[in-house]
């Protein structure tokens, strides 16, 4: 509500609308959230769009986590709203804490440079190349948001599951970050600066990757030619990213190439693909 409150002071009601998702995960509490937002929009004269999802069923049917299902459902709906009603962009309320949590999660997952550079203030709605995504609060901490709400006498609703350490993100938020704050009270700003620098370094690395003009693994990659290039291990990691190799499997591939052995036939498996060496070439193909 912080973002909507700030926006409502500087924009005409006709310039914006509020989109609220009810993921039906917390029973009466979820319905209470929707009623709270609806009442606020009515007082401000701002149009509100709502959608209710059976998030648990979607996650089960797709074989993905509840969090991922909720993410896919909301962004697909946000993009649909923009196209249907002519809105220029979707603004979401990710803040500095969210960004730091995401960085730590990605670091623990081993996502490489792309994952640890954090979220961008401007981008595109995931899965929708024609809809702009804005994160105007990305440099604002959760504490600053709470201070603003309190100073303005504004009410908000708190998701009770934020205090539960069921999810990895909550464990980082509730257990790890308080320790970081003891070591460095300004750790959020420090991580924010690091993410900005890592983002710039990632762009430099991507330009190098493109300049190498390497073929996709579907077409076949000459391994001997690859290994003559600077930072060939990173180039190989970058090429293998779309094929979901585990870190352990990728390390085995690199160790095999470094061994200097003559290799003419070897297969590496991921949940979605088979990567195989045939002669001097490395190929990728979908699992059947």
């Amino acid at each position: 509500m912080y973002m909507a409150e700030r926006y409502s002071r500087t924009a005409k009601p006709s310039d914006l609308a509020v989109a609220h998702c009810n993921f039906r995960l917390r029973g009466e509490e979820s319905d209470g959230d929707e009623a709270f937002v609806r009442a606020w929009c009515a007082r401000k004269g701002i149009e509100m769009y709502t959608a209710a999802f059976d998030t648990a069923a979607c996650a089960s049917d797709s074989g993905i986590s509840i969090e991922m299902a909720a993410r896919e459902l909301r962004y697909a709906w946000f993009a649909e709203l923009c196209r249907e009603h002519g809105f220029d962009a979707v603004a979401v309320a990710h803040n500095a804490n969210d960004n730091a949590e995401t960085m730590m999660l990605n670091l623990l997952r081993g996502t490489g440079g792309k994952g640890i550079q954090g979220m961008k203030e401007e981008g595109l709605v995931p899965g929708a190349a024609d809809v702009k995504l804005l994160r105007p609060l990305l440099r604002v901490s959760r504490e600053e948001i709470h201070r603003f709400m309190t100073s303005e006498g504004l009410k908000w609703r708190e998701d009770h599951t934020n205090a539960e350490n069921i999810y990895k993100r909550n464990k980082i938020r509730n257990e790890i970050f308080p320790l970081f704050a003891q070591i460095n009270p300004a750790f959020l700003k420090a991580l924010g600066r690091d993410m900005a620098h890592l983002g710039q370094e990632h762009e430099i690395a991507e330009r190098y990757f493109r300049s190498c003009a390497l073929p996709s693994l579907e077409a076949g990659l000459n391994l001997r030619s690859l290994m003559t290039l600077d930072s060939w291990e990173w180039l190989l990691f970058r090429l293998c990213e779309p094929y979901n190799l585990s870190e352990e499997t990728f390390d085995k591939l690199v160790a095999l190439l470094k061994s200097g052995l003559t290799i003419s036939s070897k297969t590496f498996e991921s949940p979605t693909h088979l990567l195989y060496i045939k002669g001097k070439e490395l190929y990728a193909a979908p699992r059947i």
Side-chain angles (χ1 to χ4, degrees), residues 97-157:
N97 297 66
D98 296 323
N99 203 18
E101 292 162 9
T102 299
M103 176 196 183
M104 296 303 300
L105 284 169
N106 289 338
L107 190 64
L108 293 171
R109 291 175 184 139
T111 57
K114 184 178 180 180
I116 61 174
Q117 61 182 306
M119 294 180 271
K120 301 293 185 183
E121 292 183 357
E122 293 189 16
L124 297 172
V125 170
D130 59 331
V131 181
K132 185 182 293 186
L133 180 67
L134 306 177
R135 296 186 178 95
L137 303 182
L138 206 55
R139 299 188 185 187
V140 183
S141 72
R142 197 169 290 139
E143 182 182 356
E144 290 174 301
I145 292 172
H146 285 175
R147 280 204 304 266
F148 170 84
M149 300 288 283
T150 301
S151 68
E152 296 290 323
L154 299 172
K155 295 180 180 180
W156 69 88
R157 288 176 64 87

Side-chain angles (χ1 to χ4, degrees), residues 2-12 16 91 134-136:
Y2 171 94
M3 180 168 59
E5 181 70 26
R6 292 294 293 269
Y7 275 19
S8 69
R9 296 180 182 185
T10 58
K12 296 179 294 183
L16 58 88
L134 306 177
R135 296 186 178 95

Side-chain angles (χ1 to χ4, degrees), residues 184-202:
N184 177 10
F187 80 95
L188 278 179
K189 290 185 177 179
L191 289 179
R193 286 193 299 270
D194 286 343
M195 283 186 278
H197 295 151
L198 288 168
Q200 294 167 356
E201 292 170 6
H202 180 71

Side-chain angles (χ1 to χ4, degrees), residues 5 8 19 32-33 35 44 73 80 86 106 112 126 155 176 181 222 226 238 244 265:
E5 181 70 26
S8 69
D33 291 344
K44 297 291 183 179
L73 287 167
E80 181 183 333
N106 289 338
K155 295 180 180 180
I176 305 302
N222 186 287
L226 171 74
R238 180 66 181 75
N244 303 308
S265 179

Side-chain angles (χ1 to χ4, degrees), residues 1-259:
M1 294 308 296
Y2 171 94
M3 180 168 59
E5 181 70 26
R6 292 294 293 269
Y7 275 19
S8 69
R9 296 180 182 185
T10 58
K12 296 179 294 183
S14 59
D15 292 336
L16 58 88
V18 169
H20 178 81
C21 298
N22 185 335
F23 294 110
R24 293 179 174 171
L25 294 171
R26 292 175 289 116
E28 292 183 1
E29 186 176 336
S30 292
D31 294 336
D33 291 344
E34 181 177 333
F36 177 81
V37 176
R38 190 181 300 281
W40 183 89
C41 289
R43 290 197 304 272
K44 297 291 183 179
I46 295 175
E47 189 166 14
M48 176 184 174
Y49 298 94
T50 62
F53 302 108
D54 190 342
T55 312
C58 178
S60 178
D61 293 344
S62 302
I64 57 179
S65 68
I66 292 286
E67 290 175 299
M68 183 58 68
R71 181 179 185 272
E72 291 183 358
L73 287 167
R74 68 175 175 267
Y75 279 128
W77 180 57
F78 290 160
E80 181 183 333
L81 279 178
C82 285
R83 296 188 189 110
E84 183 177 350
H85 299 283
F87 294 114
D88 294 325
V90 176
V92 294
H94 291 132
N95 56 54
N97 297 66
D98 296 323
N99 203 18
E101 292 162 9
T102 299
M103 176 196 183
M104 296 303 300
L105 284 169
N106 289 338
L107 190 64
L108 293 171
R109 291 175 184 139
T111 57
K114 184 178 180 180
I116 61 174
Q117 61 182 306
M119 294 180 271
K120 301 293 185 183
E121 292 183 357
E122 293 189 16
L124 297 172
V125 170
D130 59 331
V131 181
K132 185 182 293 186
L133 180 67
L134 306 177
R135 296 186 178 95
L137 303 182
L138 206 55
R139 299 188 185 187
V140 183
S141 72
R142 197 169 290 139
E143 182 182 356
E144 290 174 301
I145 292 172
H146 285 175
R147 280 204 304 266
F148 170 84
M149 300 288 283
T150 301
S151 68
E152 296 290 323
L154 299 172
K155 295 180 180 180
W156 69 88
R157 288 176 64 87
E158 193 77 27
D159 182 343
H160 80 273
T161 63
N162 287 337
E164 299 174 353
N165 293 332
I166 300 172
Y167 301 108
K168 294 176 183 177
R169 180 179 292 274
N170 286 14
K171 290 181 179 180
I172 291 173
R173 175 186 303 159
N174 299 326
E175 297 182 5
I176 305 302
F177 278 7
L179 294 177
F180 282 4
Q182 291 178 25
I183 298 170
N184 177 10
F187 80 95
L188 278 179
K189 290 185 177 179
L191 289 179
R193 286 193 299 270
D194 286 343
M195 283 186 278
H197 295 151
L198 288 168
Q200 294 167 356
E201 292 170 6
H202 180 71
E203 290 174 5
I204 294 170
E206 283 297 300
R207 285 199 293 271
Y208 172 60
F209 176 75
R210 291 192 294 270
S211 73
C212 293
L214 296 168
S216 69
L217 298 190
E218 285 93 343
L221 173 71
N222 186 287
L223 292 171
R224 289 188 179 178
S225 296
L226 171 74
M227 294 174 70
T228 64
L229 300 174
D230 291 336
S231 304
W232 69 265
E233 291 178 53
W234 178 81
L235 291 171
L236 182 60
F237 172 82
R238 180 66 181 75
L239 285 167
C240 290
E241 267 189 319
Y243 307 109
N244 303 308
L245 279 185
S246 69
E247 184 177 344
E248 181 182 0
T249 302
F250 178 78
D251 288 345
K252 288 180 180 178
L253 170 59
V254 171
L256 185 63
L257 297 179
K258 284 184 171 181
S259 70

